[in-house]
Amino acid sequence: MLEAVEKAGSKLKATPSRGAATAPALVQVRGLKMHFPIYSGLLRRQTGQVKAVDGVSFDIPAGETLGLVGESGCGKSTVARALLRLYEPTAGEVIVDGQNVTTAPPEALRKLRPNMQMVFQDPQASLNPRMTVASIIGEPLVEHTRLSKTGQRERIYELLDQVGLNRNFANRYPHEFSGGQRQRIGIARALALNPKLIVCDEPIAALDVSIQAQVVNLLENLQKSHGLTYLFISHDLSMVRHIATRVAVMYLGRIVELAERDALYANPKHPYSQALLSAVPEPDPKTEATRQRIVLTGDVPSPSNPPKGCAFSTRCPQAMAHCRVVAPALVEIEPGRIVACHLYSNNDSTTAATVAL
């Protein structure tokens, strides 16, 4: 089974939208699952489970950005934490830079940590209010390097310069900064150990609109100068379009479509992708006034009791009887684009490559 998934995973790579040659995959995720048990009763027996992530597979080539989008509760942040093994995955495999993260013992995992870092959604909650900026940024240096006190101080100053903060801020505390400045501190901390992969878990969601573009531009500049690879999770589809190379759309714990950025935004294939992108505002007032929104009815099903067949069938305007019985597999319907939908499962041009089982 794993061999089949690995072979199919090679079909996830797509030509980058910015015209560069496709790089080898730095991150390989195969069949990732994260199920949380539900306990009830006086004896606290397990009576069910929440399938927050239910078989997710993707690659991220080195130096590229994979955007991960979907409604709240679809499992995006859980994917991020399971990928970095902040959560212990229920099943699946995560390989970062050739190293298996999911099976690494504690000491080996500690050595892998410098290569993969995270920028959290709420900078106020992710920064210790009792630590100075220098202590926050310098903590990874203390834990993972042998730099002298002088060397640590110089590295902290260098990181502050890179994220556009004054060196005089080093001895201040998080509450003395704006939301955008606090997020820059979080980014500086993530950069401290020169990682190859940074997972950005909705890094602009808690910021003012005027600051969001500044933070995204900073991330892009750092990617170019450091050769970083990003998993960028966001609700802001317009911002994802700006920064991502490819985009994966999640619904109820599964990826339903993954494609090169421009192709997805120009012509989404999955009915859920179509509805999601129809909600993105258009800057041209004339276009905005004439375009048609796709309004979904009903609520997102509970991940503890997902519907049979296709998880989206309860809300899909194009659902067929078959959709409510059989769950569609992810198949490649054109080079670089995979979709989990029965509308394309019988397409003669489809290469049936099962990716997320």
Side-chain angles (χ1 to χ4, degrees):
M1 178 69 72
L2 182 58
E3 291 179 359
V5 174
E6 288 175 344
K7 290 178 181 178
S10 64
K11 296 183 178 294
L12 294 173
K13 299 178 184 178
T15 305
S17 60
R18 296 184 176 96
T22 302
L26 177 77
V27 180
Q28 296 173 294
V29 178
R30 297 290 178 269
L32 185 65
K33 294 184 179 182
M34 191 69 235
H35 298 173
F36 296 97
I38 300 174
Y39 299 101
S40 61
L42 293 175
L43 299 179
R44 305 297 296 166
R45 292 177 177 173
Q46 183 175 343
T47 57
Q49 56 184 354
V50 175
K51 298 180 179 180
V53 177
D54 197 27
V56 166
S57 298
F58 57 81
D59 286 350
I60 311 179
E64 294 190 13
T65 300
L66 176 66
L68 190 59
V69 301
E71 293 174 278
S72 295
C74 71
K76 304 186 301 297
S77 294
T78 306
V79 167
R81 285 163 172 74
L83 189 153
L84 298 180
R85 210 171 141 187
L86 300 179
Y87 292 158
E88 287 291 337
T90 304
E93 186 177 58
V94 176
I95 297 174
V96 177
D97 197 24
Q99 303 294 316
N100 195 320
V101 176
T102 45
T103 59
E107 187 58 33
L109 182 62
R110 187 176 186 276
K111 293 179 181 179
L112 294 176
R113 292 289 184 203
N115 259 350
M116 47 185 194
Q117 295 293 309
M118 190 167 186
V119 177
F120 296 90
Q121 175 178 348
D122 187 353
Q124 185 170 359
S126 63
L127 302 178
N128 191 326
R130 298 188 179 186
M131 295 174 67
T132 64
V133 170
S135 298
I136 290 170
I137 299 176
E139 189 173 22
L141 303 175
V142 174
E143 292 293 325
H144 293 277
T145 73
R146 297 182 178 179
L147 290 175
S148 64
K149 292 289 185 181
T150 302
Q152 291 176 21
R153 175 65 60 171
E154 288 304 313
R155 177 60 176 158
I156 290 167
Y157 285 155
E158 179 185 344
L159 290 165
L160 288 173
D161 291 341
Q162 290 179 12
V163 299
L165 293 176
N166 194 305
R167 293 188 176 194
N168 294 330
F169 292 170
N171 294 319
R172 296 186 183 182
Y173 290 86
H175 72 271
E176 300 180 66
F177 298 94
S178 67
Q181 289 173 323
R182 283 194 290 262
Q183 195 60 288
R184 288 173 186 264
I185 295 169
I187 294 171
R189 177 178 59 186
L191 288 173
L193 299 175
N194 294 312
K196 295 182 178 180
L197 168 69
I198 295 183
V199 176
C200 302
D201 185 14
E202 304 201 40
I204 60 174
L207 306 179
D208 293 338
V209 175
S210 59
I211 305 299
Q212 290 178 356
Q214 297 177 20
V215 172
V216 169
N217 287 336
L218 171 63
L219 289 171
E220 281 195 310
N221 292 335
L222 291 171
Q223 184 177 43
K224 293 174 182 177
S225 60
H226 292 70
L228 296 169
T229 303
Y230 291 145
L231 173 61
F232 190 88
I233 299 169
S234 180
H235 282 101
D236 191 332
L237 296 173
S238 298
M239 204 62 76
V240 169
R241 185 174 191 173
H242 177 75
I243 193 173
T245 311
R246 294 178 306 141
V247 179
V249 181
M250 280 193 72
Y251 185 81
L252 208 65
R254 297 180 180 181
I255 290 177
V256 297
E257 184 168 1
L258 191 153
E260 186 270 331
R261 176 197 62 196
D262 292 338
L264 180 72
Y265 278 79
N267 186 22
K269 297 294 187 181
H270 194 280
Y272 178 65
S273 303
Q274 294 169 0
L276 203 62
L277 292 174
S278 76
V280 179
E282 286 285 345
D284 183 358
K286 293 183 179 179
T287 304
E288 177 67 19
T290 56
R291 74 191 186 106
Q292 186 175 2
R293 285 282 308 275
I294 301 174
V295 180
L296 299 177
T297 59
D299 297 323
V300 180
S302 170
S304 63
N305 186 28
K308 294 182 179 180
C310 176
F312 188 58
S313 62
T314 58
R315 305 173 72 198
C316 181
Q318 303 180 60
M320 303 172 287
H322 186 58
C323 300
R324 296 181 173 87
V325 179
V326 180
L330 274 170
V331 296
E332 186 174 38
I333 63 171
E334 58 188 50
R337 186 195 290 263
I338 58 173
V339 180
C341 183
H342 288 304
L343 292 173
Y344 307 97
S345 60
N346 295 322
N347 191 329
D348 292 338
S349 64
T350 295
T351 301
T354 303
V355 178
L357 297 177

